Amino acid sequence: MWINAPDEGYLHLFPIFSALMADNKLTEYQLSDLVSKFNIDAQIASIKPFGSGHINDTYRIYNADAEGHDYLLQRINHYVFKNVPLLMSNIVHVTEHLKQKLSSLPKDEIERMVLTVIETKDRYPYFKDAAGNYWRMFYFLKGTKSYDQVTNEKQAFEGGKAFGAFQALLSDMDVSRIKDTIPNFHDIEYRLNNLHNAIRSDKLHRVQYVSEEISFIENRSADMGEIMRLGKAGILPLRIVHNDTKFNNVLLDSGDKAQCVIDLDTVMPGYVAYDFGDSIRTIINTAAEDEADTAMIGLNISLFEAYAKGYLQAAAGFITEQEINSLIKGVLLLPYIQAVRFLTDYLEGDVYFKIHTPGHNLQRAGAQLALVKRLESSKEKLEEIIINNWNKVK
Ligand code: GN1
Ligand code: MG
């Protein structure tokens, strides 16, 4: 498979999609033209928008043959991911490594457990159209579901197992093979710095509405750098981690068994506590990520425990004691850093996260800060659950 992009001179070979892409609304005809660039042999029945991600645009391609594969076509947001060839090269390396680790299993089972990158007809892992948009394709995993919110302990346990196993399978991969797709992604100093810059420039005169959020954030900023400090001191090992372990990034089958970890764009060197914290951010919250009524935001401790159990079982083979002790720090950091990012985007005019209503990013930031507050008051209890469950599996 070719990894690097064909140079710009190559683009004249392709039809022009540019103007059509600008408003995000592609017709089925335009989409089928894109599909035709990929090396698949299928009669397409229809193509429909799919999923609830905040970054990329995703479509499901239905195969006319009900027995054949369906596909997932995605436009990669190259405002967010500046180097798509590098990103796709990471994904190819990671999925190949995972498949190789699972190679004793039957092929169709491996394809259900690990994403399969479909090459273009000229053997690239993505297609770049004339407007500069990048497209990629995976097998669609039929019979699976993703949940924005967890509804029962089995789902939480299975999610923990899946993300733990994902880290475990990658724990023997050379970290230097995987490059940063978004540098400083979970670097809290960098994120706070961006927030400070947004406050200083106050482009849209929105700072006047967010003084409470800003002081809440400032009051905690010194404590939130702990994971980075331990990492720089060599106490926490840098590993290849997922970095976007929102619960909807694991697919479950119809019986709620975990099947496949998806959304591999941010698989990069990082710390295991980031992944643990980002999953807990979505699992433990009794309300949605963007809940407007912060009184609704509470902690579901039994879902937390179920996730921790699944995660610790799967991670027991590689995780260190220091990493175990860092997990609770990730639980507090991830909703906090997410709030910082949402608030920054609100101040910058909603240029990063897709929004569905005006003020959506502010609402999201408020919900995440309310979650931080609740987590702070239950910190000891959560820590105890982690340690008790660790003692059972270590
Ligand atoms: C974005 O694409 P999606 O929705 O899985 C974001 C994550 C955030 C998340 C918040 C590349 O993830 O970091 O945690 O929104 N992804 C990127 O819901 O920034
Ligand atoms: Mg994502």
Side-chain angles (χ1 to χ4, degrees), residues 228-239:
M228 289 285 293
R229 280 194 289 276
L230 292 171
K232 282 187 183 145
I235 294 169
L236 296 177
L238 197 63
R239 300 188 187 274

Side-chain angles (χ1 to χ4, degrees), residues 160 163-172 175 186 227-228 230-231 235-245 268-280 307 311-312 314-334 386 390:
F163 283 122
F166 184 84
Q167 289 178 347
L169 291 169
L170 294 175
S171 64
D172 63 343
V175 176
H186 287 318
I227 296 176
M228 289 285 293
L230 292 171
I235 294 169
L236 296 177
L238 197 63
R239 300 188 187 274
I240 299 170
V241 296
H242 185 282
N243 284 307
D244 185 8
T245 51
M268 286 184 279
Y271 302 106
V272 295
Y274 292 160
D275 282 3
F276 188 79
D278 207 17
S279 296
I280 296 306
Y307 184 91
Y311 174 76
L312 294 167
F318 76 87
I319 197 165
T320 67
E321 289 288 336
Q322 285 95 339
E323 286 177 301
I324 293 290
N325 295 332
S326 74
L327 297 178
I328 189 68
K329 301 184 204 307
V331 170
L332 288 160
L333 174 66
L334 269 289
I386 295 174
W390 172 237

Side-chain angles (χ1 to χ4, degrees), residues 66 79 104 112 137 171 190 192 198 200 205 215 262 284 298 362:
Y79 171 81
S104 60
R112 283 199 298 272
M137 191 182 273
S171 64
Y190 167 81
L192 285 167
R200 253 193 309 276
H205 310 291
S215 56
I262 58 166
I284 202 169
L362 176 55

Side-chain angles (χ1 to χ4, degrees), residues 192-296:
L192 285 167
N193 205 28
N194 287 350
L195 175 63
H196 296 151
N197 290 339
I199 294 171
R200 253 193 309 276
S201 46
D202 195 14
K203 269 190 250 156
L204 290 120
H205 310 291
R206 289 178 170 179
V207 171
Q208 55 184 319
Y209 307 120
V210 300
S211 51
E212 255 182 61
E213 286 81 356
I214 293 173
S215 56
F216 185 98
I217 288 170
E218 296 304 352
N219 287 338
R220 285 150 181 84
S221 61
D223 295 341
M224 293 289 176
E226 189 64 6
I227 296 176
M228 289 285 293
R229 280 194 289 276
L230 292 171
K232 282 187 183 145
I235 294 169
L236 296 177
L238 197 63
R239 300 188 187 274
I240 299 170
V241 296
H242 185 282
N243 284 307
D244 185 8
T245 51
K246 240 183 2 186
F247 195 76
N248 66 11
N249 282 333
V250 57
L251 300 180
L252 305 182
D253 70 12
S254 54
D256 276 345
K257 255 187 94 55
Q259 195 172 305
C260 182
V261 168
I262 58 166
D263 199 352
L264 307 180
D265 297 331
T266 50
V267 176
M268 286 184 279
Y271 302 106
V272 295
Y274 292 160
D275 282 3
F276 188 79
D278 207 17
S279 296
I280 296 306
R281 187 176 76 77
T282 44
I283 288 164
I284 202 169
N285 191 347
T286 52
E289 179 184 60
D290 61 351
E291 177 58 55
D293 177 5
T294 52
M296 301 282 289

Side-chain angles (χ1 to χ4, degrees), residues 54-55 81 185 244 246 249 263 281 289 338 341 352:
H54 297 342
I55 306 288
F81 298 106
F185 193 56
D244 185 8
K246 240 183 2 186
N249 282 333
D263 199 352
R281 187 176 76 77
E289 179 184 60
Q338 198 54 65
R341 294 174 62 199
Y352 187 94

Side-chain angles (χ1 to χ4, degrees), residues 5-74:
D7 64 59
E8 300 300 313
Y10 180 85
L11 292 176
H12 70 277
L13 299 174
F14 295 98
I16 307 288
F17 298 113
S18 50
L20 308 170
M21 301 293 178
D23 65 353
N24 263 351
K25 287 187 195 75
L26 297 185
T27 64
E28 282 216 12
Y29 175 77
Q30 291 149 2
L31 287 164
S32 9
D33 204 5
L34 282 163
V35 172
S36 74
K37 307 302 172 197
F38 289 86
N39 190 19
I40 60 173
D41 179 22
Q43 189 81 32
I44 306 306
S46 61
I47 305 177
K48 303 265 183 286
F50 186 82
S52 63
H54 297 342
I55 306 288
N56 297 319
D57 299 322
T58 306
Y59 300 88
R60 176 172 175 179
I61 298 159
Y62 290 81
N63 196 329
D65 171 5
E67 301 299 304
H69 275 295
D70 283 0
Y71 299 89
L72 207 72
L73 176 71
Q74 277 187 317

Side-chain angles (χ1 to χ4, degrees), residues 83-239:
N83 189 341
V84 176
L86 174 139
L87 174 153
M88 287 310 296
S89 144
N90 277 356
I91 294 183
V92 168
H93 289 322
V94 165
T95 52
E96 279 176 358
H97 185 88
L98 294 171
K99 287 188 184 209
Q100 199 259 323
K101 298 285 292 203
L102 298 169
S103 58
S104 60
L105 300 173
K107 182 168 176 278
D108 60 330
E109 202 170 319
I110 299 174
E111 283 178 357
R112 283 199 298 272
M113 296 171 73
V114 182
L115 287 177
T116 301
V117 177
I118 309 293
E119 296 181 348
T120 59
K121 286 183 174 144
D122 41 9
R123 308 212 55 215
Y124 286 91
Y126 56 86
F127 170 70
K128 186 177 182 187
D129 70 35
N133 291 296
Y134 290 88
W135 298 85
R136 68 171 166 216
M137 191 182 273
F138 297 110
Y139 284 141
F140 180 86
L141 299 171
K142 284 187 191 168
T144 61
K145 272 195 196 164
S146 75
Y147 296 87
D148 290 339
Q149 275 177 273
V150 177
T151 53
N152 62 54
E153 285 174 26
K154 172 150 193 216
Q155 291 171 353
F157 176 80
E158 285 290 318
K161 240 176 56 182
F163 283 122
F166 184 84
Q167 289 178 347
L169 291 169
L170 294 175
S171 64
D172 63 343
M173 192 174 176
D174 177 3
V175 176
S176 70
R177 289 197 72 199
I178 300 301
K179 308 290 181 217
D180 282 350
T181 53
I182 303 181
N184 311 310
F185 193 56
H186 287 318
D187 177 341
I188 187 59
E189 262 177 48
Y190 167 81
R191 295 296 185 185
L192 285 167
N193 205 28
N194 287 350
L195 175 63
H196 296 151
N197 290 339
I199 294 171
R200 253 193 309 276
S201 46
D202 195 14
K203 269 190 250 156
L204 290 120
H205 310 291
R206 289 178 170 179
V207 171
Q208 55 184 319
Y209 307 120
V210 300
S211 51
E212 255 182 61
E213 286 81 356
I214 293 173
S215 56
F216 185 98
I217 288 170
E218 296 304 352
N219 287 338
R220 285 150 181 84
S221 61
D223 295 341
M224 293 289 176
E226 189 64 6
I227 296 176
M228 289 285 293
R229 280 194 289 276
L230 292 171
K232 282 187 183 145
I235 294 169
L236 296 177
L238 197 63
R239 300 188 187 274

